[in-house]
Structures are given as structure tokens and as C-alpha cells.
């Protein structure tokens, strides 16, 4: 009995010890499980935050398995390709986002590098669900299970900004160049206007000394060239506005332009100019007309490379359009403009030059196209003729045969003398010279307007944009000038000071102050004031008051 009790006691003690051990183990495992639970919750929270961050990231992120099927994609990646959310592409192949050209690049370059190095990055062009091109920076990383992690960023906006930056940089450079060119043009026009004014005034003095017809004819050619040069310089000025069209008499103007170009002929060559006995008028901008004619004359002369060639210029009046009669059968022709409905003033220029083939004629009116080998030729001459036709109406026809010559036929609408518009009548040149006027203004546009107004009234004009040059001219020829017209606000010497110094040289010289600054006190040396821009009527009234109307 005692032995049984002892054994029972021992068994009970073992069971109690085993239970305590089991309880301790259970408590330890429970604690470990609770710690693992908290760690798992923390990891879940971290994964949730990371997933939310990935889903809201600006960069596109996607994962494809070993078969190339998308298993994950954030919304940024999907929206980059035109899809609403990443779920729209889960379970689909990544290849649907690229065209055949891009897939060829993946097979040839990208995937082999991923297999070798575990990653690849570079620029790639994708294709959106709507077919739009998607420019992207792409980075691929191979995962442990063989899948691919894709990170991408849309570079379309960056490309647009880069292009806008490049365009802005280009515009800034062009603006700088334009500003530099404007400054250069202003300097050139200012300085050359002074030179031309001095030449013009000196030639006017010389012309007074010669009554012989031949020297005077040559001087008139110099005057024509000077006036054309001044008109061209005025066109270079940034504030230039084209003058109004004026009535031009072709029977006077064309022969004068021929005389101007005649010195370019070889000594063995000859030029003939035939015009009607009665005036033939057209309405045109004089400078543009003169440029067009001289360019055609010059081209014709330069085309006549042989000796003994003849240049024929003919002006004729036609009651209506008629096809021109040609001296040869043309191998090439160019027709520009349209036939005139009404009277036609026709100018025909026929040269015995090298001629042109059709390939050359097809581009003859384009800017910067030339057949001359001399590098100084710029190919802009005939474009002025095109501008003349477009401005005045009418047409230009060119007929040519290589080795034979060319014929230029320019048709402009003819006008009767009675058709002179009232606003251009004041610009018509009167036959007799009234007196000589000295014009001074640093603004070439204003100077040109005064020049035209005075010449329209029969005055001979000496123009200066630099008052110092004008004063020097007056000192050299004090009795040559019958009137001084000056601007007020000018560099170096103001109009007020110029008037004072001019009266010291010629006390009886009438002086008109032509300016917009007439509110301040006017010097006593000023005989009359004229507001800018001057009109023909206001100028005429002042000339009448000063007894200078002729």
C-alpha cells in the first residue's frame, strides 16, 4: 500500500511538472505568435502604404511574369498609354503597348541585355490604346522569379518643353540679329543719305553751268541714279512705308532709264529705244517701276556676251490685249499675271543674248535664283518685276531660245492723262524749275516726302539728313539756295540753331521749320512753320505767303 501511494505521488508530481512545462511552452508560443501577428500587421501596413505610394506615383510601374503577362500595374502606367486604370491591362501581354518597330528593338537589343546584366534603361516609343505615340524613359529590371519590373516616365511633355525652349532660343537669336541688322541699316541709310545729298547738290551746281545738250543729258542720268539710290535707301529704313502710286509717263521714263543703263553696253553693242510720239501713262510706284526696268535692262545687257549684239526696247500703246509678235520661234516661255481688260501699255525688251531653257525660265521669278556664275549675283532682279505686276495688274511674258536671245513683254494698264487721280496729281513733275530748296531732316521718310512735294512743284532739291553737312553746303554755295526747310529735333545741331547760323550766312534766306515740336517759342530767324506730316496744300499756302510759289 505504501508503495502504491508513493508511486501515485511520483506520477502526480511528473504530471504537474509536465503541465507546467506545457503551460510555459504554450505561453512562450503565444507570445511569439502575438509578436508575429503585430509584425505581420506592421508589414501589411507598410505594404499598403507602399502600394498606395506606387499607385499614386508619377512614374509608371508594372510587373510582368515570365510569360510577359502583366500581373501588376499602377494607374500612372496605364494612363500613360491612354487607359483609365491599371486593372484594364492586368492579364494582358506587355507587347500590346508597342508597335512592330519597337518590338524588333526589344528582341534585338533590350531583352538580351536584361538577360545578361539584369537591367536595361533608355528611351523607347510606345503606342497608346488610341494609337497615339507615347515617348517614354524606360527602365527594366529582372526579378528573381524571371519576371520583369518596368518603371517608365512619359517624356512627351519634356520634348514639348525642349522644343519650346529651342524655339524661344531661336527667336531670341533672330531678334538679336534683326536688331543688329536694323542698327546697321539705320547707320548705312543715314551715312549714305549724306553722301548722296552731297553728290546731288554738287551735280545740281554743275548742271547750272552747262547748257550743252550732251553733258546735261549725262548729268540728268546721274540725277536719276541718285534719286533711285535714295529711294532704295529709304526702303531699308525700319519705319519705311511705300509711297502712293503715281502717274508715270513711259515715253519719258523708259528712255531715261535706257540712257542710265547704256554705259554697261560693250563698245561694239548697240541699244535702240522706240517710244510713241504721244505720252503713255501708267499708274505705278515710281521706285518699284524704275527698279523693275533697270533690272530687266541690266539682265538683258549681261546676257549679251558676244560682240555686235543689239538690245531693242520698244514702248507701244494697244487698245486691248494682243499676243506679241516675236522675232524668233521660242523654245521656252513663261507667262505670269493676266491679260488686261482695256488699254495696254506694253514694254518689249529684246536681247540677242545667250537665252534660257525651260528649266531656267520655270524658276526665273523666284527669289535668289540666278543663272550667273558670278558669286555676287543674288538672283533678286526679276522678282521686282513680279512685284510690279502684282501691284499694278497686268502680265509678264518671257520668251527665249538658247543661243538666240530672249524677249520680255511687260503689259501694264494704260491710263489717259485725264485719269490722273487727285491725290497723285501733286506728285507729277512740272516741266520748269522754280528754284532750289535745301531740305534738312534726320528722318529719311519725312525727308523723302518733302523731296516729293517740292519736286512736284518744279523745285530742284538738295537733301541732307545731317544738319552739319547741310550747313557746310550752305557755306560753300550760299547763293545757290532760295529756301531752307529744316526739322527741329535733330542730333548735333537743332533746327533752331541751324536757322540762326543759316541767317548769319544768308540773312535774306527764307526758312521754314517743319516739325511736330512747334509748341515752344519759335526763333525769330524762322519765317514760317509747317506741321508734320506736311500736305501739299499747307506747303503751297506757305510758299504763296513767302512769294515762292512760282
Amino acid at each position: 500500500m505504501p508503495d502504491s501511494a508513493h508511486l501515485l505521488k511520483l506520477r502526480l508530481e511528473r504530471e504537474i511538472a509536465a503541465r507546467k512545462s506545457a503551460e510555459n511552452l504554450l505561453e512562450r508560443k503565444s507570445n511569439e505568435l502575438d509578436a508575429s501577428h503585430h509584425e505581420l500587421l506592421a508589414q501589411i501596413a507598410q505594404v499598403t502604404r507602399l502600394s498606395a505610394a506606387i499607385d499614386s506615383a508619377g512614374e509608371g510601374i508594372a510587373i510582368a511574369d515570365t510569360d510577359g503577362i502583366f500581373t501588376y500595374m499602377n494607374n500612372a502606367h496605364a494612363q500613360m498609354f491612354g487607359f483609365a486604370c491599371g486593372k484594364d491591362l492586368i492579364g494582358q501581354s506587355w507587347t500590346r503597348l508597342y508597335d512592330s518597330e519597337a518590338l524588333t528593338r526589344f528582341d534585338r537589343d533590350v531583352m538580351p541585355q536584361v538577360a545578361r546584366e539584369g537591367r536595361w534603361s533608355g528611351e523607347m516609343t510606345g503606342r497608346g490604346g488610341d494609337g497615339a505615340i507615347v515617348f517614354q524613359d524606360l527602365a527594366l529590371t529582372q526579378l528573381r522569379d524571371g519576371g520583369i519590373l518596368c518603371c517608365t516616365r512619359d517624356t512627351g511633355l519634356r520634348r514639348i518643353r525642349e522644343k519650346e525652349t529651342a524655339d524661344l532660343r531661336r527667336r531670341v537669336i533672330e531678334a538679336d540679329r534683326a536688331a543688329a541688322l536694323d542698327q546697321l541699316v539705320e547707320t548705312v541709310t543715314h551715312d549714305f543719305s549724306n553722301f548722296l545729298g552731297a553728290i546731288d547738290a554738287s551735280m545740281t551746281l554743275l548742271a547750272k553751268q552747262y547748257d550743252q545738250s550732251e553733258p546735261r543729258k549725262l548729268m540728268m542720268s546721274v540725277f536719276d541714279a541718285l534719286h533711285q539710290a535714295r529711294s532704295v535707301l529709304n526702303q531699308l529704313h525700319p519705319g519705311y512705308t511705300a509711297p502712293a502710286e503715281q502717274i508715270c509717263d513711259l515715253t519719258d521714263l523708259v528712255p531715261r532709264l535706257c540712257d542710265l543703263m547704256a554705259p554697261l553696253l560693250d563698245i561694239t553693242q548697240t541699244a535702240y529705244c522706240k517710244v510713241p510720239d504721244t505720252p503713255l501713262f501708267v499708274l505705278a510706284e515710281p521706285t518699284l517701276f524704275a527698279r523693275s526696268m533697270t533690272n530687266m535692262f541690266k539682265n538683258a545687257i549681261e546676257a549679251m556676251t558676244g560682240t555686235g549684239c543689239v538690245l531693242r526696247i520698244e514702248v507701244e500703246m494697244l487698245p486691248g490685249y494682243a499676243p506679241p509678235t516675236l522675232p524668233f520661234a521660242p523654245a521656252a516661255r513663261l507667262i505670269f499675271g493676266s491679260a488686261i481688260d482695256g488699254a495696254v501699255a506694253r514694254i518689249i525688251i529684246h536681247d540677242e543674248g545667250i537665252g534660257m531653257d525651260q528649266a531656267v525660265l520655270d524658276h526665273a521669278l523666284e527669289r535668289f535664283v540666278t543663272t550667273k556664275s558670278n558669286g555676287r549675283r543674288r538672283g533678286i532682279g526679276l522678282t521686282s518685276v513680279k512685284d510690279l505686276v502684282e501691284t499694278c495688274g497686268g502680265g509678264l511674258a518671257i520668251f527665249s531660245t538658247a543661243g538666240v536671245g530672249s524677249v520680255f513683254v511687260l503689259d501694264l494698264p494704260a491710263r489717259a492723262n485725264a485719269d490722273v487721280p487727285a491725290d497723285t496729281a501733286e506728285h507729277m513733275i512740272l516741266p520748269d524749275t522754280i528754284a532750289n530748296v535745301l531740305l534738312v531732316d534726320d528722318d529719311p521718310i519725312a525727308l523723302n516726302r518733302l523731296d516729293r512735294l517740292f519736286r512736284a512743284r518744279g523745285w530742284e532739291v538738295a537733301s541732307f539728313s545731317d544738319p552739319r553737312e547741310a550747313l557746310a553746303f550752305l557755306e560753300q554755295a550760299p547763293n545757290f539756295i532760295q529756301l531752307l526747310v529744316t526739322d527741329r529735333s535733330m542730333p548735333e545741331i537743332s533746327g533752331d540753331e541751324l536757322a540762326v547760323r543759316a541767317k548769319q550766312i544768308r540773312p535774306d534766306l527764307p526758312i521754314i521749320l517743319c516739325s511736330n515740336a512747334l509748341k515752344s517759342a519759335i526763333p525769330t530767324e524762322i519765317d514760317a512753320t509747317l506741321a508734320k506730316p506736311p500736305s501739299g496744300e499747307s506747303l503751297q499756302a506757305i510758299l504763296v505767303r513767302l512769294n515762292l510759289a512760282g
Side-chain angles (χ1 to χ4, degrees), residues 349-361:
I349 302 173
H350 172 207
D351 68 72
E352 297 179 348
I354 58 176
M356 296 174 281
D357 58 25
Q358 191 62 54
V360 172
L361 267 187

Side-chain angles (χ1 to χ4, degrees), residues 275-296:
V275 298
D277 295 330
T278 57
L280 176 54
F281 298 104
V282 297
L283 184 62
E285 197 275 286
T287 301
L288 178 58
F289 180 84
R291 286 175 53 204
S292 301
M293 292 301 102
T294 53
N295 282 323
M296 284 196 293

Side-chain angles (χ1 to χ4, degrees), residues 298 302 368-379:
K298 188 169 181 287
E302 291 177 346
F368 309 115
V369 174
T370 178
T371 59
K372 302 179 181 69
S373 59
N374 190 329
R376 294 175 297 175
R377 309 302 182 192
R378 301 303 181 197

Side-chain angles (χ1 to χ4, degrees), residues 397-545:
I398 307 176
F399 306 92
S400 190
T401 297
V404 176
S406 301
V407 175
F408 290 73
V409 181
L410 176 63
D411 288 342
L412 299 175
R415 300 181 67 97
N417 191 20
D419 292 335
V420 179
D423 60 348
T424 62
E426 70 174 64
H427 299 299
M428 292 187 64
I429 303 301
L430 301 179
D432 298 321
T433 297
I434 294 176
N436 300 320
V437 60
L438 177 62
L439 305 179
V440 189
D441 198 316
D442 62 332
D443 181 356
I445 305 301
L447 194 63
N448 183 59
R449 177 168 180 79
L450 281 170
D451 184 289
R452 288 189 285 110
L453 288 174
F454 273 97
R455 290 185 188 278
R457 285 159 178 77
W459 288 70
E460 286 290 349
V461 177
S463 300
F464 291 89
S465 58
D466 188 333
R468 296 170 300 178
E469 296 286 342
L471 191 61
F473 173 77
L474 185 61
E475 290 174 344
Q476 293 176 2
N479 298 318
F480 175 73
I481 299 298
Q482 284 75 51
L483 175 65
L484 168 62
V485 181
T486 178
D487 185 23
R488 192 169 202 179
S489 300
M490 296 183 294
E492 305 298 338
I493 300 177
S494 68
D496 293 2
E497 182 181 354
L498 179 63
V500 172
R501 297 174 65 173
K503 286 288 190 178
Q504 293 173 352
I505 299 172
R506 273 275 308 277
D508 62 333
L509 179 64
I511 301 176
I512 299 175
L513 187 65
C514 182
S515 173
N516 282 325
L518 298 176
K519 293 183 179 180
S520 57
I522 305 298
T524 57
E525 287 79 8
I526 301 297
D527 297 283
T529 60
L530 183 62
K532 284 185 176 180
S535 66
E537 293 76 12
S538 59
L539 174 61
Q540 186 67 22
I542 290 176
L543 294 178
V544 169
R545 180 160 61 86

Side-chain angles (χ1 to χ4, degrees), residues 32 35 79 84 100 130 140 143 189 346 366 368 412 458 527 544:
E32 291 178 355
Q79 292 167 3
S100 58
D130 58 357
L140 302 179
L143 303 176
T189 54
R346 174 168 289 176
E366 298 177 11
F368 309 115
L412 299 175
D527 297 283
V544 169

Side-chain angles (χ1 to χ4, degrees), residues 35-49:
S36 297
H37 174 68
H38 285 292
E39 183 179 355
L40 180 60
L41 290 177
Q43 290 178 353
I44 291 173
Q46 183 178 3
V47 169
T48 301
R49 290 193 299 269

